[in-house]
């Protein structure tokens, strides 16, 4: 199910009931491989009305403690410190993609030709991201990576002189935009 390190961290962030719901949802996702709320509620193993199961899952997913900063960042930071030495070079990709009406700005760590998501934001508009949004996202992840040299990779959307100047000011950040 989940690695022990993940479990240890999640237990500190969630109460027993919340941790149990999360465990069940992860098992359902792994078994059935879909993310539709209604389907998850339909398969959720609790003998209450369907609508009650759906609302229970919705309330769980709306918990203030379920954020990338509280759940994912500590796990990611622990993984970084175990896998890479201080001052080692990390390759970070910034990319924006659009799936239908979903416009997503993503920052990922490149490892063995794979992108490991670090942080993302759903953009509330269509089209490219702006400099302020890019800086805000990068400002959230740079503290996680402060002990490492970073190479930021970005496609033509990110070839901004202002972004390059800002990256130069951050220290320990190289870039290829």
């Amino acid at each position: 199910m989940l690695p022990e390190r993940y479990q240890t961290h999640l237990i500190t962030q969630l109460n027993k009931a919340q941790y149990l719901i999360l465990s069940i949802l992860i098992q359902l996702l792994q078994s059935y491989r879909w993310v539709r709320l209604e389907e998850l509620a339909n398969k959720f193993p609790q003998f209450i009305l369907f609508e009650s199961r759906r609302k229970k899952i919705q309330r769980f997913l709306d918990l203030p403690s379920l954020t990338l900063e509280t759940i994912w960042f500590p796990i990611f930071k622990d993984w970084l410190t175990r896998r890479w030495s201080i001052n080692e070079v990390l390759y970070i990709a910034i990319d924006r993609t659009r799936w239908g009406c979903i416009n997503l700005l993503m920052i990922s760590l490149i490892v063995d030709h794979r992108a490991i998501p670090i942080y993302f934001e759903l953009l509330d508009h269509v089209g490219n991201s702006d400099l302020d949004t890019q800086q805000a996202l990068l400002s959230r992840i740079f503290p996680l990576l402060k002990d490492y040299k970073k190479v930021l990779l970005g496609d033509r959307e990110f070839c901004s002189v202002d972004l390059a100047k800002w990256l130069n000011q951050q220290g320990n950040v190289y870039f290829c935009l």
Side-chain angles (χ1 to χ4, degrees):
M1 190 179 94
L2 284 173
E4 191 173 321
R5 286 189 196 109
Y6 287 34
Q7 292 178 34
T8 303
H9 175 67
L10 290 169
I11 287 170
T12 65
Q13 298 298 314
L14 305 170
N15 65 37
K16 287 182 183 183
Q18 293 167 344
Y19 181 74
L20 180 61
I21 292 170
L22 178 65
S23 299
I24 291 169
L25 287 175
I26 290 171
Q27 288 177 352
L28 290 173
L29 290 170
Q30 289 175 340
S31 298
Y32 297 105
R33 299 180 190 265
W34 30 245
V35 187
R36 288 190 48 221
L37 184 62
E38 287 75 19
E39 295 293 330
L40 290 171
N42 197 32
K43 299 288 185 183
F44 199 81
Q46 193 171 26
F47 298 109
I48 55 177
L49 294 174
F50 168 81
E51 190 60 26
S52 299
R53 291 190 304 257
R54 189 181 66 75
K55 285 182 181 178
K56 181 182 206 94
I57 294 170
Q58 268 184 323
R59 280 191 306 270
F60 172 75
L61 294 174
D62 283 338
L63 286 173
S65 60
L66 282 183
T67 66
L68 289 171
E69 288 89 350
T70 58
I71 301 296
W72 175 239
F73 279 12
I75 292 170
F76 181 77
K77 181 75 172 166
D78 179 60
W79 179 66
L80 274 180
T81 57
R82 292 176 186 275
R83 175 115 195 242
W84 284 277
S85 303
I86 291 177
N87 285 327
E88 204 165 334
V89 176
L90 301 178
Y91 292 91
I92 308 298
I94 184 169
D95 192 30
R96 186 196 54 83
T97 189
R98 191 171 140 209
W99 297 319
C101 61
I102 298 172
N103 199 14
L104 183 69
L105 184 59
M106 175 77 84
I107 300 176
S108 304
L109 174 66
I110 306 301
V111 181
D112 298 328
H113 305 288
R114 302 218 188 295
I116 310 296
I118 302 173
Y119 195 79
F120 68 90
E121 186 170 301
L122 295 172
L123 302 176
D124 59 357
H125 61 277
V126 295
N128 292 349
S129 60
D130 60 9
L131 178 64
D132 291 336
T133 305
Q134 295 165 8
Q135 288 174 339
L137 258 66
L138 291 168
S139 294
R140 287 192 179 121
I141 64 126
F142 281 168
L144 288 173
L145 310 171
K146 69 179 183 223
D147 296 330
Y148 305 94
K149 293 178 184 171
K150 298 162 281 300
V151 177
L152 182 68
L153 308 169
D155 61 14
R156 66 178 178 236
E157 177 179 339
F158 305 97
C159 62
S160 155
V161 172
D162 293 331
L163 179 60
K165 286 178 184 176
W166 182 80
L167 289 169
N168 272 332
Q169 296 169 353
Q170 300 310 302
N172 242 357
V173 179
Y174 306 94
F175 51 89
C176 180
L177 304 173

